[in-house]
Amino acid sequence: MKPIPAGTHTLPPLPYPYDALEPVIDAKTLEIHHDKHHKKYVEDLNQTELALVKAGEQTDWHMIPFLEEQLAFNGSGHILHSVYWTNMTRPGTGGEPGKHTLSYLDWYFGSRATFMAQFAATAGKVQGSGWAILGYNTAFCRLELLQCEKHQNCILQGTVPILVCDVWEHAYYLKYQNDRAGYISRWWDLVNWADVEARFLHATRGKLPLEALAV
Ligand code: MN
């Protein structure tokens, strides 16, 4: 993996056609969400980074509070959307949770069902725009559920996103209007559990998470 120079982020292509997530997420919503909303986060992230470089060259720090806030907002938006797209696949084809994911969900949340209920409650009760995030926390060495406002607020430092659900209205409003709970309950049909497992194993940096559970 190479470091990404300032101002050179690119919009990752969707890993499926616009209509692949029908009927859970309609093609028009997916197209606007990816091609307009995610694209704008990438563009604004690049602009922000270049503005920070310029500020450094000119040792002009008067815009720093705004630029750092923009960096957190647009950078987190870019990262979370990139995870969200690959977390999903055609309805009913995402399989079952991988053995590492399932073991850690059971160990911490008690059961997969409890985890799913807590995830749905987390997503459903985000105030305004935000995300439910299942992440691997590198300090606690376990999975953690977070309720994220906007893209960057309420984050627990050191948490790597594993499974994320976008509950900004732009993610569901054309089809579900104000029925966020309806969108969340049907969203489970899209979850690509192989991607979740792969992200979990990547976040643990090659450690053996199953062995860690056997105290
Ligand atoms: Mn979004």
Side-chain angles (χ1 to χ4, degrees), residues 33 81 166 170:
H33 197 174
H81 282 93
D166 189 339
H170 66 220

Side-chain angles (χ1 to χ4, degrees), residues 3-14:
I4 300 172
T8 65
H9 298 279
T10 56
L11 179 67
L14 281 176

Side-chain angles (χ1 to χ4, degrees), residues 33-34 37-38 41 77 80-81 84-85 130-131 151 166-171:
H33 197 174
H34 177 269
H37 291 284
H38 188 175
Y41 296 134
L80 288 171
H81 282 93
Y84 178 65
W85 307 133
W131 301 76
H151 303 310
D166 189 339
V167 293
W168 284 58
E169 287 180 348
H170 66 220

